[in-house]
Amino acid sequence: MKQIVDFCRRLASNNNREWFNAHKAEYLECKNKFEEFVREVITGIREFDSSIGELAMSQCTYRIYRDTRFSANKAPYKTHFGAFIAPGGKKSGFSGYYFQIGVPEGGYDEGCFLATGNYFVEPAVLRILREDIDIDEGGEFENAIAEAEGFVLDKESMLKRMPKGYAAEHPRGELLRLRNFCLVKGVTPEYYAGDDAVQRLCGDFAKTERFLALINRAITYSRE
């Protein structure tokens, strides 16, 4: 993975079409290595979460070309490689496991990180999740988060006040104020090094499987 990080670092300093085209062969080599790694990760995740099913590479990975039409940042290329492994693939609407290798960009302080869940929860799903949390006296959500050792909740978009209909002193008020349900773990490029990198990554994601199941359960309910 060192080659991928090195390529991303140089791309960040030369984010233009001329440089990229001159280094296209290197990019394709990095792309092939990353996709090989993703295939192994998919297999590893399926061992503890069979819900992801069979997935094609195109259902999990992203193009390096940025969509600059509605962005103030006109740099044409992303400076990371990322994969989102979810039931039905990245466009299914289900939450999943995401990991990224690269350098910091566009508001992300860390170029390498892991995330489980989704950064966008549809209103109908959010309503169901809040209903589940409201009646969750057994601490199902809290226990799932506690199991995800090394991960933290993304609270960036959390509401400042309790959503309408819930008491200000609700014992699970922090969870009810969430607008996105996502667990995040920042890592270094060295995290992806070594022959045990896939095992390490899947081992971390396995800690978040219970949390993901609760979110995808709500998504499934919203579609019935």
Side-chain angles (χ1 to χ4, degrees), residues 39-54:
R39 288 188 185 94
E40 295 181 27
V41 171
I42 291 172
T43 299
I45 289 177
R46 195 180 292 116
E47 291 181 2
F48 64 82
D49 187 351
S50 60
S51 73
I52 65 170
E54 297 295 327

Side-chain angles (χ1 to χ4, degrees), residues 96-214:
Y97 308 94
Y98 178 82
F99 68 96
Q100 179 173 302
I101 303 173
V103 299
E105 63 173 270
Y108 292 103
D109 293 331
E110 300 176 53
C112 301
F113 66 91
L114 284 57
T116 296
N118 209 317
Y119 284 107
F120 173 74
V121 179
E122 295 181 354
V125 178
L126 184 57
R127 183 166 57 251
I128 293 172
L129 284 169
R130 285 174 175 163
E131 290 173 355
D132 289 345
I133 292 167
D134 182 36
I135 62 175
D136 183 23
E137 295 183 359
E140 191 175 30
F141 279 84
E142 291 162 312
N143 291 336
I145 293 169
E147 285 180 10
E149 182 183 1
F151 288 78
V152 296
L153 273 174
D154 176 12
K155 301 178 183 179
E156 186 176 351
S157 299
M158 177 183 286
L159 295 173
K160 294 182 178 179
R161 298 180 180 180
M162 289 291 287
K164 186 177 180 180
Y166 296 98
E169 65 276 10
H170 196 290
R172 291 172 293 282
E174 183 177 80
L175 294 178
L176 289 170
R177 289 190 289 120
L178 291 174
R179 289 195 292 182
N180 296 319
F181 282 74
C182 191
L183 291 171
V184 182
K185 177 177 181 175
V187 298
T188 64
E190 289 71 28
Y191 178 89
Y192 296 104
D195 295 336
D196 58 346
V198 171
Q199 182 180 358
R200 183 184 308 118
L201 181 63
C202 292
D204 274 337
F205 276 144
K207 301 174 187 176
T208 67
E209 187 274 334
R210 187 175 175 185
F211 175 81
L212 184 67
L214 294 173

Side-chain angles (χ1 to χ4, degrees), residues 51-56 58-60 84-95 216 223:
S51 73
I52 65 170
E54 297 295 327
L55 294 168
S58 61
Q59 293 177 288
C60 303
F84 185 59
I85 301 166
K90 62 190 179 187
K91 296 182 179 180
S92 67
F94 281 102
S95 292
N216 282 337
R223 298 179 177 182

